[in-house]
Amino acid sequence: MSLAAREIREEFLAYFESKGHARVASASLVPEADPTLMFVNAGMVPFKRLFLGEEQRGYSRATSSQKCMRVSGKHNDLENVGRTPRHHTFFEMLGNFSFGDYFKEAAIEYSWELLTERYGLAPEHLVVSVFREDDEAAAIWERNIGLSPEKIFRLDESENFWTMGDTGPCGPCSEIHYDFGAVRGESLVGDPSDETGRFLEIWNLVFMQFNRDANGVQSPLPSPSIDTGAGLERLAQVIQGTPTNYETDVFTPILARAQDVSGVAFGSSEESDVSLKVIADHSRALAFLIGDGVLPSNEGRGYVLRRILRRAARHAKMLGVEEPVVHRVADAVVDEMAGAYPELAERRAYICDRIRRDEERFLETLSKGLSLLEDEVAALRESGESTLPGDVVFKLYDTFGFPTDLTEDILIGHGMSADQVGYEAAMQEQRSRARAAWKGSGDTAVGEVYGRIASDVQTEFVGYEALEADSSVAALLVDGALVERAVEGSEVELVTPLTPFYAESGGQVGDRGTIVAGSARVVVDDVQKPVDGLFVHRGKVMAGVLEMDSPASLHVDPGSRQATVRNHSGTHLLHAALREVLGPQAMQKGSLVSPTRLRFDFTHDAPLTRAELDEIEDIVNGWIEANASRTTRVMSYSEALESGAVAIFEEKYGDEVRVLSFGDFSTELCGGTHAEATGELGLLKIVSETGIAAGVRRIEAHTGVGALAWVRQRERLLEDAAELLKAPVGELTERIERLLDDRKDALRRVEKLEGAQRGEAAGDLLSGAREVGGARVIGARVDGLDAKALRELIDDLRNRLGSGVVCIAAESGGKALVAVGVTEDLTGTYKAGDLVREVAKVVGGGGGGRPDFAQAGGKDPGQIDAAIAKFQDLVGAGD
């Protein structure tokens, strides 16, 4: 049997659905609230809190095809991509999971049935490994599956024992391996841990049955669980019978595009094949990373993305391609993968455009690298050296994307070589920095206490329908610790099983209001959701004593909620209008929705013109005037995208999503609170538009009474200005233009007078010039000059001296200013920078400049006369 990759994926998910597993959509490559990971690197990551008992969902069995990235550490070395049969940056991990439901027996039987009966793999081509002490798993393979003992390998902890980290859930695992030797008819030798390439791990079944504490002690878990992972690319290789992953239909359409844009056929040479594979692999990673909201930058995830992008562009250059092409290969990735990941199609234009622009910049950088190398070669030749230092080789590689063999080729043409030892030392330093950076992403860690609370309490949100509700105090924290009671004046966090308070998410801030519980009255100023399903109300006990298990009456501030509702609905209309005016590449990159304002970040390369802002504003207010009703639907994520709903880059979506529409002009996935109809917004007024990052713009706006207040404030400013200028508001522009013209005329007259005064002063100073060795020297104090006037006087004196040196000092604003000028013919004898440095020391300062002009400042104007005397001594004109 030979199945296409999409069929392998679907067969896996459908099989486990038939076994009672919930099909769960892939999470983003950016892990949610997990500071230990840069990217999601395994199928179990989105279920981590379920395994830890910190989160509850409506199922105990799940299956998924999870997007994963591995680009560092023991799992992968970026330089191996394209050179080995199975090294990849991006890959898909198929998995089935049990959260305290079935265990080893069912997991083993499911995997064997799927591989041999559904996928049609020959049982004689498969072997398994188990943890050396796991007699139970070995017995199941032998008894239930019928494997002979010689095909069951017992391996050490390093191979067949899985841990989530230094502490936490862990357990033995059993791996299923494809035996290429058996396919070739060879007798069974070695074991799956060897490096011969005979065995390929295709599925790992993890039996999480212990909890490891900080001392390494393992205790049995109350509910043993199952976590499995099967790489789609590897399954495709064995099912399709190809020698490497790159010959499967996972890659062949993408490689075909890479060949088309480069003009290089696969198989032309070993090195060109490596480059084509790198471009294909990296284009997959780029499409999915940018599709999940990661942008090129100089740190964190963005730095990893930029390295991958530039490595792909460098390999295109090595194929002889002079223009950007990686974005065209990424376009083929979208063609192939959008069926399984429809968000790629929605973001196609944005993904390809971001890759193209960064690729263009890199190609310019590559040209600069060539110039740098030529300069270094020239410097080596001048100094009589023939070896390029290792730190320069590394700089060319790391900053300019030069592979070392390219550098060496260029050097050989000049009869030179590269310092490989120094290069390796610099590379090792970078690897050490990279390992340190990969210890975590820097995201905020979720407090352990919230996980414990969430395992006992889940909050039901009723705030879509009501602003008041009755519940009870189920958890109470003071200073981050669980307590039984809190007295008046205490800052508290409290959890109730039911709440009308919206918890901050999707850019919308948490609700404000009050909670009354027994004798206690709590003013709530924020609500957070540190763990899915757990709403934490934060506030202060204003009266009484707050106690655990007390009945509680919760009241959301209706004015605050309504203002927030208007602003949140305003962001939806603004987003829709931006896409209508600027195009679909104007995607949301972030937002803030509060009672007082809205802030909306979006992708766009240039500042918006006044005409564009006016058009956007007009469109939004037209929709507001139409008073279109809001409709809300709950559907699957894939159905929502198929219906045309816009998903937001950074948001995490579950299997079921809330789709919110206003008329036929705005449809988005959103869990926030919104107006019943657009007319409730009253007015939307854009108040600012700025750039906040490369390719990201920000609009701030107000709606409703907030917009009215902003307009009134601007009216008052205009009226105040009109009153000051004694002109009607309608004539302010004309009056201000006249005033500016008058000011320019006045400044010209002042400059003319100052020039005349400088001329007179220069004439007086010239008359007192001293003759030293054929040069004329002037040293004088002229108070009342600022730095600009001081320089102009020096320039005037130099021009009129012919040949000479001049030093002028002045007191200005309680400080000393000093400037020195030297005519061009004397700069070999006197250096203005050296002179001013010594003179400035006298007035308690410092400075410097060019040989012909330099200036300085000092904090002690009382020493100006002494400073002038110092100058006279330095040039030999002292008394």
Side-chain angles (χ1 to χ4, degrees):
M1 177 187 290
S2 180
L3 299 172
R6 66 178 182 279
E7 295 172 318
I8 296 171
R9 183 195 299 113
E10 179 56 32
E11 184 67 38
F12 188 99
L13 299 173
Y15 171 81
F16 281 104
E17 275 189 308
S18 73
K19 302 297 183 183
H21 293 63
R23 184 186 293 219
V24 179
S26 173
S28 167
L29 284 169
V30 179
E32 183 190 27
D34 189 338
T36 66
L37 294 174
M38 185 72 79
F39 298 111
V40 169
N41 60 3
M44 61 76 59
V45 172
F47 302 108
K48 192 171 179 179
R49 298 195 183 283
L50 274 173
F51 287 120
L52 291 169
E54 298 177 354
E55 183 181 332
Q56 298 172 12
R57 299 187 190 177
Y59 48 77
S60 59
R61 300 181 176 200
T63 185
S64 69
S65 180
Q66 174 61 45
K67 300 177 289 189
C68 295
M69 280 287 297
R70 288 181 186 169
V71 287
S72 75
K74 67 177 182 180
H75 299 295
N76 206 330
D77 177 356
L78 193 59
E79 293 302 322
N80 283 334
V81 174
R83 298 190 178 276
T84 70
R86 291 172 290 275
H87 269 96
H88 301 299
T89 49
F90 171 88
F91 63 98
E92 290 182 78
M93 186 69 84
L94 302 170
N96 59 288
F97 309 90
S98 165
F99 313 107
D101 191 334
Y102 61 85
F103 201 45
K104 293 181 183 179
E105 192 166 40
I108 290 172
E109 290 176 354
Y110 288 155
S111 63
W112 193 257
E113 180 181 11
L114 179 56
L115 288 175
T116 60
E117 297 183 22
R118 299 297 185 93
Y119 287 148
L121 296 182
E124 59 269 24
H125 296 164
L126 301 173
V127 301
V128 302
S129 60
V130 298
F131 180 50
R132 62 171 184 267
E133 299 171 11
D134 194 353
D135 297 331
E136 181 185 3
I140 294 170
W141 281 115
E142 188 173 352
R143 181 185 67 246
N144 296 35
I145 304 304
L147 278 186
S148 57
E150 63 268 18
K151 300 188 78 172
I152 304 170
F153 297 87
R154 291 176 178 262
L155 301 180
D156 291 338
E157 184 171 348
S158 61
E159 297 289 337
N160 278 91
F161 196 93
W162 184 90
T163 60
M164 185 176 287
D166 295 334
T167 62
C170 59
C173 61
S174 181
E175 297 173 333
I176 305 172
H177 306 263
Y178 194 74
D179 182 0
F180 291 107
V183 176
R184 295 188 292 265
E186 301 168 0
S187 59
L188 186 59
V189 294
D191 67 58
S193 68
D194 66 30
E195 299 294 329
T196 64
R198 170 169 181 157
F199 301 100
L200 172 63
E201 177 201 332
I202 57 175
W203 205 339
N204 187 14
L205 315 176
V206 178
F207 312 128
M208 285 199 279
Q209 60 189 102
F210 303 110
N211 189 45
R212 180 180 290 176
D213 65 19
N215 297 317
V217 177
Q218 293 175 178
S219 306
L221 286 171
S223 300
S225 297
I226 291 292
D227 158 31
T228 84
L232 175 63
E233 294 79 5
R234 293 188 176 198
L235 279 178
Q237 182 191 341
V238 299
I239 292 172
Q240 296 176 12
T242 62
T244 77
N245 291 359
Y246 289 99
E247 281 82 13
T248 68
D249 70 337
V250 172
F251 283 98
T252 50
I254 304 167
L255 280 167
R257 180 66 62 84
Q259 293 173 79
D260 179 56
V261 300
S262 67
V264 178
F266 198 73
S268 299
S269 72
E270 183 178 342
E271 283 306 307
S272 66
D273 283 358
V274 168
S275 292
L276 289 168
K277 290 175 184 177
V278 168
I279 293 167
D281 173 274
H282 288 12
S283 294
R284 293 209 314 155
L286 294 169
F288 278 95
L289 284 171
I290 295 174
D292 280 346
V294 181
L295 293 177
S297 71
N298 292 324
E299 58 187 10
R301 298 184 181 103
Y303 175 68
V304 174
L305 170 63
R306 178 161 281 165
R307 281 192 66 199
I308 293 171
L309 195 158
R310 293 188 167 188
R311 188 166 188 264
R314 189 182 78 213
H315 276 273
K317 181 83 170 177
M318 291 166 68
L319 292 174
V321 181
E322 298 296 331
E323 68 277 353
V325 293
V326 176
H327 66 285
R328 294 170 61 188
V329 184
D331 191 54
V333 174
V334 177
D335 288 340
E336 292 302 310
M337 305 295 287
Y341 303 98
E343 65 272 16
L344 288 177
E346 165 71 22
R347 300 165 187 171
R348 180 195 298 270
Y350 177 74
I351 290 167
C352 295
D353 183 62
R354 289 300 312 191
I355 295 173
R356 177 188 57 77
R357 286 192 287 110
D358 214 69
E359 195 178 357
E360 286 174 345
R361 282 194 288 268
F362 172 63
L363 291 176
E364 293 174 3
T365 301
L366 201 59
S367 298
K368 294 176 183 175
L370 285 169
S371 297
L372 171 66
L373 182 53
E374 293 298 334
D375 290 344
E376 292 289 340
V377 167
L380 287 173
R381 186 174 289 115
E382 187 176 336
S383 63
E385 300 290 331
S386 62
T387 302
L388 187 67
D391 59 338
V392 178
V393 179
F394 177 75
K395 181 179 180 181
L396 285 164
Y397 168 80
D398 191 54
T399 304
F400 298 99
F402 268 55
T404 54
D405 53 359
L406 175 59
T407 301
E408 288 176 330
D409 285 344
I410 295 172
L411 290 172
I412 288 170
H414 293 281
M416 298 177 176
S417 62
D419 172 16
Q420 285 295 335
V421 174
Y423 165 76
E424 288 297 336
M427 177 64 81
Q428 188 57 46
E429 287 182 19
Q430 189 213 47
R431 287 173 180 149
S432 299
R433 291 193 299 271
R435 280 195 294 271
W438 274 84
K439 290 179 181 178
S441 64
D443 292 344
T444 303
V446 175
E448 183 183 338
V449 66
Y450 300 124
R452 295 202 304 270
I453 296 171
S455 64
D456 297 324
V457 184
Q458 290 285 289
T459 307
E460 178 186 355
F461 176 62
V462 296
Y464 293 133
E465 298 83 22
L467 297 181
E468 298 182 357
D470 292 327
S471 190
S472 60
V473 180
L476 181 60
L477 296 94
V478 174
D479 295 328
L482 289 165
V483 297
E484 290 294 316
R485 61 200 304 270
V487 298
E488 182 177 331
S490 300
E491 300 282 346
V492 296
E493 296 179 305
L494 65 130
V495 176
T496 57
L498 183 146
T499 184
F501 283 81
Y502 183 84
E504 180 177 328
S505 63
Q508 179 175 333
V509 301
D511 278 328
R512 305 169 185 172
T514 58
I515 298 176
V516 177
S519 66
R521 177 175 175 273
V522 179
V523 171
V524 177
D525 54 31
D526 187 25
V527 185
Q528 293 291 320
K529 191 161 49 174
V531 176
D532 278 349
L534 187 73
F535 286 52
V536 178
H537 307 79
R538 294 175 175 171
K540 185 175 184 178
V541 181
M542 305 303 293
V545 177
L546 182 63
E547 296 184 299
M548 274 288 294
D549 300 321
S550 298
S553 179
L554 297 88
H555 306 269
V556 174
D557 181 338
S560 174
R561 165 69 79 82
Q562 190 57 36
T564 303
V565 157
R566 285 193 296 266
N567 283 334
H568 199 161
S569 299
T571 64
H572 283 228
L573 302 190
L574 184 60
H575 189 188
L578 281 164
R579 288 164 66 83
E580 184 167 319
V581 173
L582 305 178
Q585 75 277 4
M587 297 292 294
Q588 180 173 340
K589 277 295 293 175
S591 67
L592 173 68
V593 179
S594 74
T596 58
R597 66 187 175 116
L598 70 89
R599 187 183 73 209
F600 190 83
D601 301 340
F602 60 99
T603 53
H604 193 60
D605 288 333
L608 272 63
T609 64
R610 183 67 260 172
E612 286 172 331
L613 289 170
D614 288 345
E615 184 180 1
I616 291 163
E617 215 174 56
D618 289 345
I619 290 171
V620 172
N621 285 295
W623 290 337
I624 291 172
E625 188 175 344
N627 197 30
S629 297
R630 184 200 76 206
T631 58
T632 306
R633 294 166 290 165
V634 176
M635 60 182 74
S636 71
Y637 179 70
S638 58
E639 288 174 335
L641 294 185
E642 288 170 8
S643 74
V646 177
I648 309 306
F649 278 154
E650 285 81 4
E651 289 299 308
K652 175 191 174 185
Y653 298 106
D655 304 320
E656 284 196 332
V657 294
R658 192 166 176 262
V659 179
L660 189 134
S661 300
F662 287 108
D664 60 359
F665 43 80
S666 172
T667 301
E668 290 190 21
L669 277 60
C670 186
T673 59
H674 287 276
E676 293 293 332
T678 58
E680 293 179 21
L681 277 64
L683 171 70
L684 182 139
K685 181 62 186 171
I686 296 173
V687 300
S688 71
E689 191 274 339
T690 56
I692 60 169
V696 182
R697 310 292 300 175
R698 170 173 291 172
I699 280 179
E700 297 202 29
H702 297 295
T703 62
V705 294
L708 179 61
W710 187 88
V711 170
R712 281 178 175 167
Q713 181 193 38
R714 288 300 184 274
E715 284 181 343
R716 291 192 186 100
L717 288 173
L718 284 172
E719 290 167 356
D720 290 347
E723 185 174 346
L724 287 170
L725 296 175
K726 307 299 182 185
V729 170
E731 297 177 8
L732 272 179
T733 301
E734 182 182 345
R735 177 60 62 88
I736 291 171
E737 287 175 348
R738 284 207 307 269
L739 286 173
L740 289 174
D741 289 341
D742 291 345
R743 181 176 181 274
K744 287 178 184 177
D745 290 340
L747 287 173
R748 281 194 291 268
R749 289 195 297 272
V750 169
E751 287 178 0
K752 187 176 181 179
L753 289 170
E754 288 178 342
Q757 290 175 340
R758 281 197 303 273
E760 292 176 4
D764 292 342
L765 292 169
L766 283 168
S767 64
R770 299 186 180 188
E771 194 83 18
V772 178
R776 302 175 72 190
V777 176
I778 297 173
R781 172 174 184 158
V782 182
D783 287 329
L785 300 181
D786 59 16
K788 179 175 178 290
L790 190 63
R791 177 174 186 140
E792 290 173 346
L793 180 57
I794 290 283
D795 288 343
D796 191 11
L797 287 167
R798 276 193 311 173
N799 291 334
R800 296 168 69 174
L801 275 173
S803 178
V805 184
V806 59
C807 175
I808 303 296
E811 180 177 355
S812 178
K815 295 182 179 180
L817 298 178
V818 181
V820 173
V822 180
T823 56
E824 188 174 347
D825 63 307
L826 295 178
T827 52
T829 305
Y830 303 106
K831 296 287 188 297
D834 295 341
L835 290 170
V836 86
R837 196 173 296 112
E838 294 300 318
V839 172
K841 289 178 182 178
V842 180
V843 291
R850 306 188 310 270
D852 64 332
F853 177 81
Q855 57 189 10
K859 60 185 177 182
D860 189 359
Q863 295 297 314
I864 286 178
D865 293 337
I868 294 296
K870 176 70 173 179
F871 166 76
Q872 301 280 15
D873 291 340
L874 289 171
V875 297
D879 293 330

